Amino acid sequence: METALCGSNQQQTHRIFRREFEITPVKCGRNFENFSHRKNEQCRLKINFSDGILLVRIFHRAIAIYADYQTNSTGLHYVQAIKENKMKHSKLTRLRFVQGGLALLAAGGLNLKASAAGKSDTLVVYLSRTGNNKALAQFVAQSTGADLAAIETAEPYPQNYAQMRDQAAQEIADGVLPPLKNMPNIEPYRRIVIVFPTWAMRLPAPVKSFLIGRNLRGKTILPLNTNAGYGVGSGFEEIKLLAAGADVRLGLSLKGGNERDGILLVMKGNALTQAQNQIRPWLAKN
């Protein structure tokens, strides 16, 4: 295995990566305060060292955890536990903390390979005029480690609601596909979450522009809709028709704002929390 590292710890790093980690001192959990050393409870992590780049990046993340816990009160709790012999290891060394950091990452249910490589297999795209869909898209991206991109037309819609409504309705009626600003290449992504509003009980033309002309075959599409309380309309069905060859999953529709009545950003506070509570199980199923 060849790895390239900078700094005085290069030889030590090579020694660490040339053997298999077995972490046994703590109970698996999401934070150090919940860790306790109990008999017959083990948290083991075995790593295949064929992916050198992955391991280097994981090591860097573990060192970041180490640095953070040097000054964090939770870290002091961890140090004190060691001093009181509540854990197997009697000394908090750099190597031991790297092992504990790796165990923490694994026990937390994180996708190490995706996050360590700096790439995600999920893309979240959203169309948002009043900020509601942006707030939901950001939550989905943060929850899944996905990449995030806004669907924006090259020519912005009018700020005036009545003018914007009329233009949007005319685009839908005439089948106009407004040009979009630069969008990311979707080829690397396995799953695409589309967060969109209902316009005139139809799928907005900018979302159609995003779907048409892109090869979605073999990808998984998750439609997430907000509307003024009148329902998704034909939005989900239109996505199925336009995403040829894709696996379009059951969509989720939530009540958002109502620009016509001056109710704009509603996805905040309790309303956002309630929306998040509906989104979590929906994501889990998909």
Side-chain angles (χ1 to χ4, degrees):
M1 178 185 71
E2 294 293 329
T3 58
L5 289 176
C6 298
S8 60
N9 293 321
Q10 181 174 354
Q11 292 182 351
Q12 179 183 2
T13 302
H14 276 254
R15 287 197 299 272
I16 292 171
F17 287 151
R18 286 184 184 280
R19 70 183 183 81
E20 186 178 72
F21 283 122
E22 287 194 12
I23 302 95
T24 59
V26 296
K27 178 182 178 182
C28 296
R30 287 190 177 274
N31 58 69
F32 277 99
E33 292 189 47
N34 290 333
F35 279 20
S36 62
H37 178 53
R38 299 177 184 176
K39 207 168 185 180
N40 299 325
E41 289 183 338
Q42 295 182 335
C43 179
R44 290 182 178 269
L45 175 62
K46 294 187 176 182
I47 299 175
N48 185 339
F49 289 97
S50 61
D51 192 345
I53 295 177
L54 168 64
L55 292 169
V56 171
R57 293 184 181 274
I58 293 176
F59 177 77
H60 286 172
R61 175 175 287 194
I63 292 301
I65 295 174
Y66 172 81
D68 179 64
Y69 271 77
Q70 283 183 312
T71 56
N72 186 281
S73 61
T74 306
L76 295 177
H77 173 89
Y78 181 73
V79 173
Q80 187 63 31
I82 293 175
K83 288 181 178 179
E84 295 174 2
N85 293 321
K86 292 181 180 179
M87 294 186 180
K88 180 178 178 180
H89 299 306
S90 59
K91 185 182 292 185
L92 179 61
T93 64
R94 190 181 187 86
L95 174 58
R96 294 305 186 194
F97 205 97
V98 169
Q99 291 178 332
L102 290 170
L104 173 63
L105 292 174
L110 298 177
N111 185 336
L112 291 179
K113 189 161 187 177
S115 61
K119 294 183 181 298
S120 172
D121 68 348
T122 300
L123 173 66
V124 179
V125 297
Y126 67 92
L127 176 64
S128 185
R129 178 173 166 86
T130 58
N132 293 297
N133 289 328
K134 180 179 181 180
L136 297 183
Q138 288 175 333
F139 170 73
V140 172
Q142 291 168 1
S143 299
T144 60
D147 294 333
L148 185 66
I151 299 175
E152 298 177 309
T153 54
E155 185 68 28
Y157 283 95
Q159 289 296 317
N160 179 272
Y161 169 73
Q163 295 175 0
M164 175 269 174
R165 176 200 60 202
D166 293 344
Q167 177 179 329
Q170 194 64 47
E171 288 174 345
I172 292 173
D174 296 343
V176 173
L177 299 175
L180 304 179
K181 292 183 179 179
N182 290 337
M183 296 295 296
N185 176 21
I186 67 169
E187 194 277 331
Y189 298 102
R190 176 187 62 84
R191 183 172 66 164
I192 301 176
V193 183
I194 303 176
V195 189
F196 67 97
T198 296
W199 285 1
M201 301 306 294
R202 299 285 301 278
L203 185 69
V207 180
K208 293 181 181 180
S209 294
F210 170 77
L211 292 170
I212 292 178
R214 285 179 167 79
N215 182 12
L216 299 169
R217 187 170 299 278
K219 299 188 183 298
T220 299
I221 306 295
L222 279 64
L224 175 56
N225 166 260
T226 63
N227 58 79
Y230 304 107
V232 65
S234 61
F236 292 158
E237 293 303 319
E238 291 183 73
I239 288 177
K240 286 183 180 180
L241 290 173
L242 296 174
D247 177 13
V248 181
R249 300 294 176 86
L250 183 65
L252 176 64
S253 183
L254 304 171
K255 184 177 180 181
N258 188 334
E259 189 176 0
R260 182 194 64 185
D261 296 339
I263 303 172
L264 304 180
L265 180 60
V266 299
M267 289 301 172
K268 55 185 178 181
N270 290 334
L272 179 58
T273 300
Q274 292 175 9
Q276 292 170 345
N277 290 338
Q278 295 182 67
I279 292 172
R280 287 190 187 96
W282 174 70
L283 287 173
K285 294 177 182 177
N286 295 286

